């Protein structure tokens, strides 16, 4: 579980998203490969708009890059639910998945069970196939 600061204000808990599939993107503003996935993630978000899925991006930027994260999300018009991990890579949620390199994607079912702890990237066509099977 997690409870992180939401870019739009307040905090978001994983439990708030129950009842929908959840595709989690663990990333940081300084990560080139993470940034390379953004255009693909935007297309996936558009394709499944209104479906039973939430797209959650969790930044593991360090606290001193908090403003950089806020500005980046705004400037790039990032969609989905944009969250800031409380202790970057040392956050409980990040550590519980053994995440030490990014980008990393996780797919959960509507009950919060893990479908894939190392899900396909948005740039991989296999993700669309998997999501089509789950959501159609």
């Amino acid at each position: 579980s997690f409870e992180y600061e939401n870019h739009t204000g307040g905090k978001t808990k994983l439990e708030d998203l129950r009842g929908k599939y959840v595709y989690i993107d663990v990333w940081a503003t300084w990560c080139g490969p993470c940034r390379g996935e953004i255009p693909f993630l935007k297309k996936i978000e558009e394709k499944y708009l209104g479906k039973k899925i939430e797209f959650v991006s969790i930044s593991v930027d360090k606290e001193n890059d908090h403003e950089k994260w806020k500005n980046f999300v705004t400037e790039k018009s990032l969609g989905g639910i944009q969250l800031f991990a409380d202790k970057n890579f040392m956050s409980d949620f990040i550590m519980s998945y053994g995440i030490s390199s990014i980008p990393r994607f996780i797919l959960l079912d509507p009950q919060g069970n893990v479908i894939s702890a190392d899900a396909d990237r948005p740039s991989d066509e296999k993700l669309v196939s998997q999501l089509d099977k789950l959501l159609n």
Side-chain angles (χ1 to χ4, degrees):
S1 184
F2 58 72
E3 183 176 8
Y4 294 140
E5 174 190 347
N6 191 314
H7 185 265
T8 60
K11 292 192 176 221
T12 298
K13 292 190 254 187
L14 183 56
E15 291 79 10
D16 297 339
L17 308 174
R18 288 273 158 83
K20 294 185 177 186
Y21 289 93
V22 181
Y23 184 72
I24 300 170
D25 169 14
V26 180
W27 73 293
T29 58
W30 50 262
C31 170
C34 301
R35 292 167 71 141
E37 291 294 326
I38 290 172
F40 298 99
L41 182 56
K42 283 184 172 189
K43 286 181 181 160
I44 297 275
E45 289 171 349
E46 285 175 29
K47 178 176 173 60
Y48 297 103
L49 187 67
K51 299 280 187 174
K52 199 168 104 173
I53 186 166
E54 292 285 354
F55 294 92
V56 178
S57 296
I58 301 174
S59 167
V60 291
D61 279 292
K62 293 193 171 162
E63 185 59 41
N64 60 350
D65 286 330
H66 185 264
E67 284 302 311
K68 180 180 176 186
W69 164 75
K70 285 178 84 170
N71 293 334
F72 187 90
V73 170
T74 301
E75 289 167 12
K76 301 294 183 187
S77 301
L78 299 187
I81 299 170
Q82 296 292 326
L83 305 177
F84 193 83
D86 56 358
K87 294 178 266 185
N88 54 71
F89 280 101
M90 301 309 288
S91 298
D92 291 342
F93 180 80
I94 305 303
M95 290 180 64
S96 70
Y97 279 89
I99 299 172
S100 58
S101 64
I102 50 176
R104 174 78 173 271
F105 300 91
I106 301 165
L107 182 60
L108 306 176
D109 74 9
Q111 291 74 44
N113 299 311
V114 177
I115 294 173
S116 177
D118 194 8
D120 293 313
R121 292 179 177 206
S123 60
D124 189 330
E125 283 297 315
K126 288 186 282 183
L127 178 62
V128 170
S129 299
Q130 183 179 31
L131 293 179
D132 280 347
K133 285 178 192 160
L134 295 172
L135 298 167
N136 291 326

